[in-house]
Amino acid sequence: MLLLAALLLSLSASAAPAPFPWTQGYLDPSRSFAQPLLFTQDYQQAGPPSQGWSRAPLSVVVRSVWPAQPLEFERAELLPGVPEPIGQSWRVPVGLRLLGTLKRPAVLQLTGPDRLGVTLAVHPGLSVPTNFSPGQDFLRTDLNVVYRQNGKPLDVPALAGRVLTLRRLEAGRALFSAEGLGEVERIGDPAAGFHDLSPLIPDPDLAALKRRYEGKTVWGYGGLRTHCFPNENSSVGKGVELNQGVTVRRVARLGKPQFLNVQGGAGDDVGHGADALALTPLVFLLDATPFGSTGDLGFSSSGPAGEAGSPPTAPDPDPVNADLQRFMELANRPDLCGLNVPYALLDTWAAERVFSLTPPSQALLTLSRNLPPDGRGLTRWQYAWLNGFPSSTFGSLGEVLTLPHWQYRNIPFASTVSFGQNGQVDGVQVPRLP
């Protein structure tokens, strides 16, 4: 009996899952509100052992980045899900549980072992449905799913910025009504979820925002910049200058996480911006008509216009001119941005930092053509109109307007604009590598 017990104990121990490799990877945004984070292993690391990884929660420290006040709780838990193979590596969707109550919107810093940390923009009290039914509205936020109309595939610009309303679910497809376009079908099993779509979710704060902004003309502090997509593998920079007004078609709340900058649009890991993973981003749908090319073009693969799977072509005798021609074809496509340009924000408090309901004055436009060196002598409002509010500083509009220093995204380190006692710029520091 003792020998049998020892054998059973040995078998039980050998079948126990291995500790989760939290120190061997990093966190990225995921595709769902239920599991908003994605743990990705370092490239050189092996996959799960035969007995699997433990799914025990990991306790991490939480502090408030904004507002600058202590939280009523100090810990959160990361909850690992089922591993998914990605090429030669692995990734694991991760859930989040705050071990306390959050009473107002905040930007939180979660800190775990080694590099395991993430900054979150959290709006309390919102919920995201996990089962969707007819009548639910969505916005397309990933571009890797095929949509068809009347049996023909739709290109990316055809659905850009259009709200999709679910009509019915069928085997192997879902039918939607696309704003201004009619019925379209999404190819794929609805039971697998809509990973390319972000649901528009209820939010009590939306009523006030809709009254304030919807149907109104807004101007962007420093102008507005975004990217529009000819296909899922390439992008074209689009924007409007600060003196160009844009109509707000709709304000909505999204139920899918996005990594964003405090001044709107996608965040990134360089330049030290005030970036955060917004669990439920705010989105302004802006009339796409005024947006013109900024001259930026991005490809994620080789081939004509960066399209994945493009057939090989003969070498062009003048590749620079060929690239320029392709760029002009993409950048000048009238419907490239679709019906609306989605402008995503971390939360409601960021809207006033990005959009103005009044245009810049003629005096400011005249000043923009005769700027003083380094912006010296400009007031905070003048500097914000010409350059935007600080992209590397969190805070509401009222708070930012009282700060003695503003920080802006800059490579390799954030630049700093300093204001004197008179409220005017008295110095701009732009760090450089030695």
Side-chain angles (χ1 to χ4, degrees), residues 280-371:
T280 51
L282 193 69
V283 65
F284 279 58
L285 297 181
L286 307 176
D287 177 14
T289 306
F291 282 79
S293 175
T294 63
D296 296 329
L297 183 65
F299 303 122
S300 62
S301 65
S302 60
E307 295 179 3
S310 299
T313 57
D316 194 285
D318 192 344
V320 174
N321 285 340
D323 288 343
L324 179 61
Q325 181 179 354
R326 285 195 291 267
F327 164 72
M328 294 305 295
E329 291 172 355
L330 296 174
N332 293 327
R333 179 172 170 173
D335 65 340
L336 181 64
C337 294
L339 182 67
N340 305 308
V341 170
Y343 218 84
L345 305 177
L346 289 177
D347 211 334
T348 52
W349 51 269
E352 289 184 315
R353 294 180 44 154
V354 176
F355 302 114
S356 171
L357 288 164
T358 57
S361 67
Q362 188 57 50
L364 185 85
L365 297 177
T366 300
L367 177 63
S368 69
R369 295 188 286 269
N370 302 279
L371 285 176

Side-chain angles (χ1 to χ4, degrees), residues 28 35 65 95 107 115 129 139 204 215 220 227 260 287 307 312 321 328 392 397 404 431:
D28 278 329
Q35 294 178 303
V65 178
V107 177
R115 297 167 295 156
L139 194 66
H227 285 86
L260 302 172
D287 177 14
E307 295 179 3
N321 285 340
M328 294 305 295
S392 294
L397 177 63

Side-chain angles (χ1 to χ4, degrees), residues 140 144-149 159 164 166 170-176 184-197:
R140 193 181 190 192
N144 57 352
V145 173
V146 175
Y147 286 78
R148 296 189 304 205
Q149 187 173 44
L159 290 177
L164 303 177
L166 180 61
E170 298 180 357
R173 67 175 190 166
L175 284 299
F176 293 86
V184 300
E185 61 175 341
R186 179 190 184 276
I187 307 304
D189 183 6
F194 300 147
H195 70 265
D196 63 308
L197 298 177

Side-chain angles (χ1 to χ4, degrees), residues 377-380 402-405 417-427:
L378 295 178
T379 67
R380 287 180 174 83
T402 65
L403 296 176
H405 305 289
V417 179
S418 299
F419 298 92
Q421 293 293 330
N422 59 1
Q424 297 177 336
V425 175
D426 63 7

Side-chain angles (χ1 to χ4, degrees), residues 197-255:
L197 298 177
S198 179
L200 275 55
I201 63 174
D203 173 8
D205 292 342
L206 280 181
L209 286 170
K210 287 177 175 291
R211 288 193 300 269
R212 182 173 175 81
Y213 290 106
E214 282 189 351
K216 308 290 180 58
T217 300
V218 296
W219 290 260
Y221 293 109
L224 299 172
R225 300 289 182 270
T226 188
H227 285 86
C228 298
F229 300 88
N231 51 57
E232 64 175 297
N233 301 299
S234 58
S235 65
V236 174
K238 293 286 187 175
V240 293
E241 299 302 321
L242 62 94
N243 61 339
Q244 172 69 62
V246 182
T247 302
V248 178
R249 294 263 179 81
R250 185 167 180 173
V251 183
R253 177 75 70 175
L254 302 180

